[in-house]
Amino acid sequence: MDIRKKIGLRIKEYRTNLKLTQEALAFKAEIDKTYVNEVENGKRNVSVINLEKIIFALDTSLKEFFNSTSFERT
């Protein structure tokens, strides 16, 4: 699976667990809601800066975010 899709699915997983809409996440991360949508759907390369904003808006750490079997090397 493409890394963009893996990151997008992980963001969506965290967001839905927190019961946040894409709009609410975008507001917390101070980014555009269409950007969140495109990242979640693997249609956009997320910048490192924006990825950090999103992860922190999801109230987690970079370490926890990437601590998933979906990011293991196959």
Side-chain angles (χ1 to χ4, degrees):
M1 182 184 300
D2 182 282
I3 188 67
R4 291 175 299 181
K5 291 190 184 285
K6 290 178 185 180
I7 289 172
L9 288 173
R10 189 74 167 146
I11 291 169
K12 186 174 184 177
E13 175 186 359
Y14 266 93
R15 181 180 60 75
T16 55
N17 285 340
L18 292 171
K19 296 179 177 38
L20 291 173
T21 63
Q22 287 181 342
E23 186 174 11
L25 175 58
F27 181 79
K28 277 185 80 173
E30 298 179 345
I31 56 177
D32 191 86
K33 65 182 177 182
T34 57
Y35 184 84
V36 171
N37 179 274
E38 291 172 351
V39 169
E40 278 192 4
N41 290 301
K43 296 180 179 179
R44 178 165 231 179
N45 281 325
V46 61
S47 73
V48 175
I49 302 285
N50 285 336
L51 182 57
E52 182 181 53
K53 286 179 177 182
I54 291 168
I55 290 171
F56 291 164
L58 292 168
D59 297 320
T60 192
S61 66
L62 294 166
K63 181 179 178 180
E64 277 301 311
F65 181 83
F66 286 107
N67 186 21
S68 168
T69 56
S70 52
F71 295 112
E72 289 180 0
R73 193 172 180 181
T74 56

